[in-house]
Amino acid sequence: LAAARLTHPSIVAVYDTFSEDGVDAIVMELIEGDTLRQRLDDEGVLAPAEVARIGSRIAAGLAAAHAAGIVHRDIKPANVLLADDGRVVVTDFGIAKAAEGADLTGGGQMLGTAKYLAPEQVELDPVDGRSDLYALGVVLFEMVCGRVPFVADTEAATALARLHQPPPRPRDLRPELGPDLEAVVLAALARDPDQRWPDATTLA
């Protein structure tokens, strides 16, 4: 229902919700195209201009969600659709949290995908829109470097790694990158939310 309130070209449209025989479901806009996950699996890394295009449109969609009081909490390439018509669409608000009202996902749980979690999610601290910006920073890093910044033997170790070490510098892994793009990515990946981009509109 929260996602259904969002209207933006970079957010998948949700038309209806229903329950049938104990199964809750949503009716969504059909997007013809691939996920960003599929694109990265096929191509490895993307050209800087394409990274900027995709990243800015994800950020614009997040800005609309955050303005409505919704934090996505699971931004990752599998939840970004690259439509055949050129749109970049954020989907799967399945664990999104409204800034107001009950948190239906429960307390004391690390929610999201380990590779893309913000440090405050790992530490089970309160999250806000800047947590989504960190996850977008991980996605940007993966688009430019072909890997996520933190990888360990288990999901828990991967999640904890960001608490104990800084991310690699993208230009150390891909020297041809420009310094401006690297600066954008590293600012999004700041461990302290106050050191990140202040909001998704600024990042876009």
Side-chain angles (χ1 to χ4, degrees), residues 1-7 11-14 26 70 92-94 96:
L1 290 173
R5 295 199 303 266
L6 303 175
T7 303
I11 297 177
V12 70
V14 175
I26 61 174
I70 303 296
D92 197 357
F93 282 76

Side-chain angles (χ1 to χ4, degrees), residues 63-79:
H66 297 165
I70 303 296
V71 182
H72 189 288
R73 300 204 296 183
D74 196 23
I75 293 297
K76 58 185 179 182
N79 287 341

Side-chain angles (χ1 to χ4, degrees), residues 4 12 30 32 36 84 88 101 114 130 177 179 182:
V12 70
L30 174 64
E32 300 282 1
L36 178 57
D84 290 342
V88 177
R130 295 170 299 178
L177 290 175
E182 179 180 73

Side-chain angles (χ1 to χ4, degrees), residues 110-149:
M110 194 179 349
L111 297 168
T113 304
K115 292 178 182 177
Y116 304 94
L117 289 174
E120 58 270 24
Q121 290 174 284
V122 176
E123 296 182 305
L124 304 180
D125 289 336
V127 302
D128 58 27
R130 295 170 299 178
S131 305
D132 286 343
L133 300 189
Y134 183 96
L136 177 51
V138 178
V139 173
L140 292 170
F141 188 102
E142 187 172 4
M143 286 194 285
V144 296
C145 296
R147 48 158 282 199
V148 293

Side-chain angles (χ1 to χ4, degrees), residues 32-46:
E32 300 282 1
D34 289 330
T35 65
L36 178 57
R37 174 76 276 144
Q38 291 168 310
R39 177 90 176 269
L40 289 172
D41 288 346
D42 289 343
E43 300 184 21
V45 298
L46 304 183

Side-chain angles (χ1 to χ4, degrees), residues 145-175:
C145 296
R147 48 158 282 199
V148 293
F150 301 104
V151 181
D153 292 338
T154 66
E155 287 204 354
T158 296
L160 291 170
R162 71 212 56 217
L163 304 182
H164 305 297
Q165 61 195 62
R169 301 191 69 87
R171 296 178 78 200
D172 288 344
L173 300 174
R174 195 174 170 191

